[in-house]
Amino acid sequence: MTDKPVTLAAIVGAHGVAGDVRLKLFGEGAESLKNYKSFDAAGRILTLKSVRPGPNGAVARFAEVGDRGAAEALRGTALTVPRSALPPLGEGEYYHADIIGLPCLSNEGEVLGEIIAIENFGAGDIIEVERPPVEGKKGKRFMVPMHAVTLEAERALIDAIFVE
């Protein structure tokens, strides 16, 4: 496991005049952000003072942001923590950050490409794989249901019947 940064939220704008910010969440809700004292915000450390559920996400206050102008200046900034700061996972669970970028092989040994995204349209997780580029053209992409994928430490094995 590397200690790459994992994005938990992004600042989408200011909230009020005192420096609060509106957040788009990528985790398990506003309460889960309370587990972290600080976040990396594009190379700047922001110390969390408070967070609460808000319109379409959450509203947070950071010690280093004192007014609406400072909050607006952070619009579009991702809030990250090191991978090692995330809680341990149970059996069969994974963080998207751990598997995006994994090389993929079919269970018959064919090199397929790498995982570039994980989607969920309501019936379970689906991984998107991009094949290697051919003759200077971007590689084709295909999707596979997560139940057809076996995750290993350094690669993902995909059941060959799901490979196009």
Side-chain angles (χ1 to χ4, degrees):
M1 172 177 66
T2 64
D3 211 15
K4 62 185 173 185
V6 176
T7 303
L8 298 182
I11 298 173
V12 294
H15 181 85
V17 296
D20 290 359
V21 295
R22 290 181 293 118
L23 301 176
K24 177 179 181 180
L25 302 174
F26 302 118
E28 295 196 9
E31 286 296 312
S32 67
L33 295 180
K34 292 180 181 179
N35 296 327
Y36 308 96
K37 294 179 181 171
S38 62
F39 298 87
D40 184 303
R44 176 180 174 193
I45 300 299
L46 296 179
T47 308
L48 185 65
K49 288 178 71 176
S50 66
V51 64
R52 66 184 187 277
N56 301 317
V59 175
R61 176 165 293 182
F62 294 100
E64 298 78 8
V65 183
D67 60 38
R68 184 175 182 86
E72 280 294 339
L74 292 170
R75 180 188 301 263
T77 303
L79 300 176
T80 66
V81 297
R83 169 62 180 87
S84 61
L86 298 175
L89 295 169
E91 182 69 30
E93 295 180 324
Y94 55 88
Y95 287 116
H96 290 195
D98 290 342
I99 63 175
I100 291 177
L102 275 181
C104 298
L105 297 159
S106 76
N107 59 354
E108 296 175 349
E110 177 188 358
V111 175
L112 301 174
E114 73 176 38
I115 297 173
I116 60 166
I118 303 163
E119 305 291 345
N120 190 314
F121 301 107
D125 286 347
I126 298 172
I127 64 164
E128 186 172 2
V129 177
E130 184 172 80
R131 289 192 173 271
V134 178
E135 300 174 10
K137 292 183 179 179
K138 195 173 183 180
K140 288 189 173 187
R141 296 179 177 187
F142 64 97
M143 294 181 147
V144 178
M146 194 66 196
H147 69 80
V149 179
T150 302
L151 295 175
E152 296 181 349
E154 300 296 323
R155 65 184 185 174
L157 295 177
I158 297 175
D159 191 328
I161 64 169
F162 289 93
V163 177
E164 58 175 49

